Structures are given as C-alpha cells and as structure tokens.
Amino acid sequence: MRTDAELIADPDTYTSGVPHDALTRLREKNVVRVDDFWAIFRYDDVRTVLRSPGVFSSHRGATQIRDPAPADLAYVQRMMLNQDPPAHTRLRRMLTRAFTPRAVARLEDGIRSHAREIVASLSGDFAADVADLPLLTLADVFGVPRQDRALLYDWSNRVIGFQDSEYALSSSSTAGMTDMALAALELRPDDGRDPRARDGMPDLYAYAHALGAYKRAHPSDDVMSNLMREDISLEEFENLFWLFSVAGNETLRNGIPGGMIALLEHPDQYARLRADRSLLPSAVEEMLRWWTPVMHFRRTAVQDTSLSGVRIRAGEKVVVWFSSANRDELVFTSPEAFDAGRREADHLSFGHGPHFCLGAQLARTQMRAVFDAVLDLPGVLELDGEVVRLRSNFQNGVKHLPVVVS
C-alpha cells in the first residue's frame, strides 16, 4: 500500500485522473513532508506562500520539484518564472503591453473566428482539435509565423511531457515551415535530454535567435519585436522565449479539454449553460477551478519560518498544490461539484501574488470563445471512447478526448 504522499508524487497516478481522495486526506494535515519537500495543500497557506517572495523564493532553487542540475541552475534562474522582485518585475514589465485589456480586445474577433472554425470541423478528438487555438493565438501575439506554430506544440510537449514517452520526443510535420524553422530543426535532439537545460532544447534557441534577427530587421507590433528594442541579456532573452513557447500554450491546451470533461461529467450543468449563455464567464472560471491545469509549483524557503504550525527551515523546498487548494472545503462549498454559476473565492489556477499569470485574460477569452462555439452546435457533445491523460504529476493533461455530436 502506498501512502497518499507517494501517490500524488507518482506521475503514473495521473494517467487515471487526479487523486482527489488522497488530496482531501492530505488537506486535513495541510503541510506534509513528501520525498525531499514540504507539500502545502490548504488554500490560505498556498496564497501565503505565493504572495511572500521574500520568504518563499522562486529564484533560489527555481520552480520545479526536480532540482536543476547544478551546472544548469544559474542559467535556469534567469527565466522570469524563476525570479523574484525586483528582477521579475523588470522582465514582466517588458511583456505587459501585449496583455492589456485593449491588446486582448484587438485579438478577440480573430480568436472567436478560429474557435468557430475548429469546433465546426471537429475530427472526433476534441483535445487534439482545440490544441490549435492557443498555438494560433500565441503565434500572433509572439510574432512567430503561423506556419511554424507546430514548433511551439513540439517544444511544449517535450517540456511538459518529459514524464510521458509519447510526448518526450514529439515531432510534428515540417510541411510548409519557414527556412529558419527547418534550419533550427536540424539541431533537434532525439535522445530525450532534460528540456530545462541549456543544451536540452538547441532547436528552440536557434529558432529564437533567427526570429529575433528577423524582427530586428522587420519589426512589427508583437512581443518579439518589442523584446528586440529592450535592454535584455542573452540569457534573459532565451529564457523568455522558452517560457513563452511553453507556458503560453500548454496550460490552455489542457484547460479547454478539461473544461469539456467537466461538462461531459455534469450533463445537468451542460444543459444549464446551454439554456443560459450569461453563465459562460462564471462557467469558464469554474472549469479552471474544477480541472486545475497546472497542479503545483515549487518555492524555496530563504529563512526559517512556519506554516500552520509546521517549522520550515531556510533552504527547504516548499511545493504548493493548486489541485488541492482549488478544492479546499474551507473555501468552496461542495468543492468536488462542478457549478457553472459558482460565485465564491477566486481559484488559484492562474496563481497568486507577483507571479499571477500574465496571460490570464487572454486565456479566458480563448476559453469563452471555444465554449461559445460548443454551445452553438446543433446538438451536444458526448464522450465517444476513452479519455487518454498525460503521464505527469505537474500538468493535468489530456492527450485524447474522443467526442461525437448527438
């Protein structure tokens, strides 16, 4: 018999679903030792950790449970995700203009058009079909040629799916890609290297530099063009490209099919939403809470402290478990239920504090567009086979979601 702590740490567990029963039991203890880290399960304590970078650092040991190799740590620490204020604030400021309400509003018509095209021509695998929407949106925001967007798909597969053999060596068709994409792909490794390491994604970095050079010569109104105008180091630039390519795609790619699973498993709420479209914004928030695409993030204590009476020493890892906090009974009524009209506390699927997701509003816009199109279908979607989940203890991923309109 495995303990609950062993269960939640094992990526094999998640191929059959998030172990919510184990997380419920662990919430009773709240701060629990798991392997070489402290796991935090209650909503209020998770928020405390995330809003206290002076105590719980993103920079000290980076933000993944796995420690980077010692030789890679300094490089990984230059990523915005792995920095604390004020260094984090400086980099974040370079990107904010792409995510203002006005900037998102300019993209909305295109997003809605893409979403309707995707939903109107579903192939039968909802997860595979909707994966193209965040790729199209990210390509436009970032300045990546649309014909190269499969690169973003493969890079995020390799990073998020390093624990899953189907994703670890992801390789999409190169048909129609630009010359700079084809040149970069000559460097793609085929040995499953750690994608967080500097030498683990040589094709990504080669493409980043080629695209940067193109944007310097042909600037436009996109993130890459803006970055070329900034005072930014080589390591910061490469890490921002890595982060954008992965984080800008993967969370939404799994959040959308996760939201569809919520409707499929709660047909009464599906019918309620079809009858009252005004519930769509709250339903999207509930999808993000109920599914929780990113299940945890790590911090490192920089001083002796305590949480819920448990002593945590400087240098120890602290991992906040979003998939537990989003179902905290002290915060959410009947948290296991999906309620399309829920009006309670904010979920933590976009994080909290200085690292709150920069693209949250853009993600919400895309989710609303997809489910608006789903609700316009002449019938309802029904499950038409087995859901295939990602083998990962980090991302609550869906590889295949077979559906049929009835």
Side-chain angles (χ1 to χ4, degrees):
M1 289 289 292
R2 292 185 298 172
T3 66
D4 288 335
E6 291 170 334
L7 195 68
I8 67 164
D10 184 353
D12 284 328
T13 297
Y14 297 87
T15 59
S16 57
V18 178
H20 285 296
D21 288 347
L23 290 171
T24 297
R25 292 187 292 269
L26 288 166
R27 270 195 305 277
E28 293 300 314
K29 303 173 184 178
N30 187 27
V31 182
V32 177
R33 192 71 182 178
V34 179
D35 292 336
D36 64 342
F37 60 88
W38 292 104
I40 314 300
F41 297 101
R42 285 283 181 197
Y43 182 94
D44 286 345
D45 280 346
V46 169
R47 282 168 55 97
T48 295
V49 170
L50 295 177
R51 68 169 179 254
S52 308
V55 180
F56 301 102
S57 170
S58 299
H59 184 71
R60 179 67 63 90
T63 51
Q64 298 295 300
I65 291 178
R66 295 183 305 152
D67 290 321
D72 295 327
L73 178 59
Y75 182 81
V76 171
Q77 285 176 320
R78 302 301 295 273
M79 185 180 295
M80 186 175 72
L81 184 68
N82 299 329
Q83 294 195 346
D84 301 319
H88 168 264
T89 309
R90 169 182 158 268
L91 289 175
R92 188 180 176 98
R93 191 178 296 121
M94 294 180 186
L95 304 173
T96 51
R97 62 190 293 184
F99 299 100
T100 62
R102 179 177 295 180
V104 173
R106 286 199 299 267
L107 296 167
E108 189 163 1
D109 286 346
I111 289 170
R112 290 176 64 84
S113 177
H114 290 319
R116 291 191 174 281
E117 290 174 7
I118 289 168
V119 172
S121 57
L122 289 174
S123 69
D125 187 343
F126 188 84
D129 291 334
V130 300
D132 203 35
L133 179 62
L135 292 174
L136 284 164
T137 304
L138 182 60
D140 288 347
V141 172
F142 205 18
V144 172
R146 285 187 178 181
Q147 62 266 40
D148 292 346
R149 66 185 184 275
L151 292 175
L152 306 174
Y153 180 83
D154 288 340
W155 292 332
S156 63
N157 276 358
R158 283 156 56 189
V159 172
I160 300 299
F162 75 93
Q163 295 171 317
D164 189 300
S165 58
E166 182 181 343
Y167 275 17
L169 298 174
S170 179
S171 178
S172 296
S173 169
T174 61
M177 286 187 179
T178 64
D179 288 343
M180 62 182 170
L182 296 175
L185 286 174
E186 292 293 323
L187 303 175
R188 179 164 55 192
D190 58 5
D191 55 2
R193 299 179 211 172
D194 186 343
R196 301 170 306 161
R198 177 62 183 81
D199 65 353
M201 302 281 277
D203 48 327
L204 180 148
Y205 296 117
Y207 186 83
H209 287 289
L211 184 60
Y214 178 83
K215 293 297 181 179
R216 277 193 294 271
H218 307 89
S220 56
D221 187 19
D222 55 55
V223 168
M224 279 294 288
S225 296
N226 292 337
L227 285 178
M228 293 303 97
R229 304 182 185 103
E230 298 284 355
D231 180 15
I232 186 171
S233 72
L234 172 67
E235 292 84 358
E236 288 170 339
F237 166 71
E238 290 182 342
N239 274 300
L240 277 175
F241 191 93
W242 187 101
L243 181 62
F244 241 92
S245 299
V246 176
N249 165 35
E250 193 65 24
T251 299
L252 188 62
R253 170 183 164 188
N254 291 308
I256 295 174
M260 193 67 241
I261 290 172
L263 296 182
L264 295 171
E265 292 189 7
H266 300 82
D268 61 323
Q269 296 300 303
Y270 194 171
R272 181 186 179 194
L273 195 53
R274 293 189 80 203
D276 184 359
R277 194 70 62 91
S278 70
L279 291 172
L280 184 55
S282 64
V284 164
E285 299 304 314
E286 178 70 341
M287 290 169 182
L288 289 162
R289 181 199 71 85
W290 186 85
W291 184 255
T292 309
V294 176
M295 293 185 284
H296 62 71
F297 260 118
R298 173 235 179 125
R299 299 291 188 265
T300 304
V302 295
Q303 63 188 55
D304 291 351
T305 187
S306 63
L307 280 171
S308 293
V310 174
R311 187 72 171 167
I312 297 172
R313 300 193 179 279
E316 292 186 321
K317 299 182 193 179
V318 174
V319 179
V320 293
W321 228 271
F322 299 124
S323 48
S324 171
N326 277 343
R327 295 199 179 196
D328 190 338
E329 305 84 354
L330 302 181
V331 177
F332 301 100
T333 304
S334 301
E336 73 288 345
F338 176 82
D339 177 0
R342 189 182 292 273
R343 304 282 186 183
E344 289 185 295
D346 293 336
H347 62 78
L348 297 176
S349 295
F350 290 128
H352 179 67
H355 281 275
F356 182 82
C357 178
L358 191 60
Q361 192 55 40
L362 185 58
R364 290 177 170 121
T365 298
Q366 293 179 81
M367 287 191 70
R368 287 196 296 267
V370 168
F371 287 103
D372 200 40
V374 166
L375 295 172
D376 277 343
L377 288 171
V380 297
L381 292 178
E382 293 184 348
L383 194 61
D384 190 38
E386 182 182 359
V387 177
V388 181
R389 297 173 181 264
L390 182 68
R391 182 183 182 271
S392 171
N393 62 12
F394 175 66
Q395 185 80 222
N396 189 10
V398 185
K399 296 196 292 186
H400 305 288
L401 176 57
V403 295
V404 63
V405 180
S406 67

